[in-house]
Every structure is written in structure tokens, then in C-alpha cells.
DNA sequence: TTTATATTAGATAATAATTATCCACAAAAA
DNA sequence: TTTTTGTGGATAATTATTATCTAATATAAA
């Protein structure tokens, strides 16, 4: 999570031009916890940037990923989601409403170390995904039955 | 992992017809540790079933997944991989040669319980993916440098 | 501020994995 | 054997993502 000034500086430093579209896309990702995919970002910006195309979203995401401003989340849907929180953390998806939430402050270090030792791989990263029904959807289901 | 007789019985029981193609596809998955995707299965069977189409692979996979004979693996590539081992286990992908290996007998139960408690989700499953360079590719890299 | 130039946004087409459709035909039941 | 229902394969459709092309724009230099 960076403010506009830092993002501007970082883009320049890495040799990318600073455009309103790029700042806007990063801004959307900073101001949501919904882990949007490309289309959701597109829809969010549509009112303010009516001429923006999906291609711009994808190209900008490539750049933001490259300079490590965002991370890509693959929760097994048909589209990818994006997150402005780059600190490694796990995600959980509700199998009913499909929302994706963060699982922060969860220490998987011992497990990771164990895997590294056991496999002799030179580990560079990992992704943990959990699936289940969120409390809200559980409540809804109970209301229907009750 | 089931033998042909059990698979036949299970398919019938679930209301699906038993065809050579279906048995062959399941058989391929039982006899490999490579976690093939649809195209790899297709290529493997091409010599023996020259008329088989990719659509058949996908339709069969749907069925095998539905009756819980295989699991689907999404390692963040552009295609999905399939595994005849349905017991929950983690996977690790080599970022150099792209092979996917199993991490069996690894107990994530404490972590899973902790997540369930912390999130109040009704958990139904989880997927752990690790990324890194496999020992073989490490050796190759060292040979080039040395 | 103006100019030069290299990069970008947006329109459009291309790609590629997966899914849907349709029908002759095969598997299971009668 | 006959009937019925589901299936395989050919084909087209779908959809997320990527590539291409050009006018427009950001940036650095004058």
C-alpha cells in the first residue's frame, strides 16, 4: 500500500510513465478488500474513465505486478483476482457467495520450513487457499431452514 | 485409486455408462505421477484411441470429479491438472521445468483447525501450493555456472 | 515553454482452455 | 432382440487474457 506520490516515484524509477489510469487502477485496489478481478476493476472505474478498456487494466496489472505493488490471487475461479497487499497471506473463499477474504497474521513458517527440508526444493513462494461457507451465508441458510 | 472393476461398478451405481474411453482416461491418471492436464491425457491416449476428442476428455473428467475419483489441481498455470489421488495433499511446482509433485503425509491439521476457528467459516477444503526450483533444475543451473 | 521522442491508451483482432450443441451410435434394461 | 437412454466425436461458442497497431500523451531536453 503506497500513496500516490510514492507510486509515481516508483513507476518513474522503474522506467514506466505515470498516467491517471495507472494511478486509478492501483487506487481501486488499495481501497477495497474485495480482491476484484479485471472486470470488477473495469466496472468500478467505468463512471470516471468511460473510455478505459480492459486491455489497459491488464497491461497496468502486469506492470504493478512487476514492480511488486500488487499480488495475483488464483482461487480456482475462471478469472484472476488482485490484491494491493503484497505481504504474503492466505485467502479464504466462500463457496456460496464467492467472496474472497484475507487470513492475515497467520504463521505458516514452520510448515514452510518443513516442506523445504523434505522436498529439497529451493522454495520461492507458496499459496494457501481455504474454501468454506462464510458466517453470513451460514446465517442465511439457517434462516431458510428455520 | 480403484481397479477397473470397482470403477465400472461405481460408474453404474451413479447412473453413468461404462465406456472404454472413460476407463482409459482414469487409467492414465492412475498410472502417472505427472499430474497431466487435458491435453497431456489426450496425447497419451492418441495412439490407442485415435478418434478420441478433447471434448471427451473434459466430459469424462467432469464425471470422474463428480464421483470423487479424481481431484482437480490449479497450480496457477493456464490449464488445469488432474490427479487420481483424492486424499487431500499438497503440491509443489518447479518454476523452471514446470513439473508438479506431490507432498504427501504432511499434516496441516493444526493450521486448518486454527483457520476454522479464527474465521468462523464452515470449512470444506483447502489447497496448498508451493513454488520453487526442484533439485534436478538446481543441479543443472550449478553445472552451467561451474 | 516548446520540442523531440519514446511510451501508452484504447480499439480491435488473436489466442487458447473449456463448455455447449447436435446426432449417429453404443450400452444397459426389458 | 428390441427399446431406451446416455455417450462420443465433430463442430461451434464462450470467455479470460494477450498481442497488435496507431493516435495521443508523458517526460526529458532544448
Amino acid at each position: 500500500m503506497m500513496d500516490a506520490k510514492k507510486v509515481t516515484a516508483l513507476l518513474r524509477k522503474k522506467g514506466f510513465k505515470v498516467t491517471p489510469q495507472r494511478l486509478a487502477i492501483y487506487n481501486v485496489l488499495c481501497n477495497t478488500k474485495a480482491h476484484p478481478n479485471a472486470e470488477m476493476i473495469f466496472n468500478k472505474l467505468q463512471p470516471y474513465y468511460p473510455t478505459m478498456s480492459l486491455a489497459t487494466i491488464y497491461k497496468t496489472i502486469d506492470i504493478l505486478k512487476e514492480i511488486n505493488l500488487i499480488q495475483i490471487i488464483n482461487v480456482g475461479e475462471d478469472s484472476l483476482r488482485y490484491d494491493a497487499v503484497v505481504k504474503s497471506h492466505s485467502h479464504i473463499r466462500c463457496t456460496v457467495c464467492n467472496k474472497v477474504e484475507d487470513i492475515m497474521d497467520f504463521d505458516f513458517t514452520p510448515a514452510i520450513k518443513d516442506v523445504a527440508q523434505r522436498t529439497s526444493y529451493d522454495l520461492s513462494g507458496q499459496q494457501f487457499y481455504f474454501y468454506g461457507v462464510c458466517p453470513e451465508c451460514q446465517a442465511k441458510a439457517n434462516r431458510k431452514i428455520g
Side-chain angles (χ1 to χ4, degrees), chain A:
Chain A
M1 300 281 225
M2 283 187 184
D3 58 46
K5 256 186 194 167
K6 282 191 180 171
V7 175
T8 299
L10 183 60
L11 280 168
R12 286 229 181 91
K13 187 180 144 197
K14 296 284 187 172
F16 297 108
K17 291 191 172 169
V18 180
T19 68
Q21 289 92 336
R22 288 178 180 175
L23 295 177
I25 290 167
Y26 179 65
N27 199 45
V28 166
L29 288 174
C30 284
N31 288 290
T32 179
K33 290 194 165 196
H35 307 86
N37 58 24
E39 202 181 356
M40 290 156 84
I41 299 173
F42 178 79
N43 290 333
K44 197 108 181 182
L45 289 174
Q46 189 65 17
Y48 312 104
Y49 296 82
T51 68
M52 187 187 285
S53 84
L54 261 174
T56 301
I57 309 267
Y58 282 111
K59 281 187 280 195
T60 299
I61 279 166
D62 266 0
I63 293 170
L64 295 177
K65 168 68 184 164
E66 190 179 330
I67 63 181
N68 204 38
L69 272 181
I70 63 170
Q71 70 170 301
I72 294 174
I73 304 169
N74 185 338
V75 237
E77 296 165 308
D78 38 6
S79 63
L80 302 172
R81 289 166 175 259
Y82 308 100
D83 193 336
V85 179
V86 287
K87 181 177 179 301
S88 177
H89 64 280
S90 301
H91 293 95
I92 186 165
R93 186 180 90 199
C94 175
T95 53
V96 176
C97 67
N98 279 321
K99 81 174 157 200
V100 173
E101 296 191 279
D102 293 312
I103 305 177
M104 300 299 289
D105 308 320
F106 197 97
D107 189 18
F108 290 105
T109 318
I112 294 167
K113 274 190 184 161
D114 195 349
V115 167
Q117 236 182 12
R118 194 187 285 244
T119 62
S120 303
Y121 269 60
D122 182 11
L123 285 187
S124 57
Q126 68 283 330
Q127 294 286 346
F128 295 167
Y129 298 114
F130 294 86
Y131 303 93
V133 182
C134 72
E136 291 76 23
C137 287
Q138 288 176 45
K140 273 186 202 165
N142 286 337
R143 236 176 289 146
K144 270 188 193 164
I145 296 167

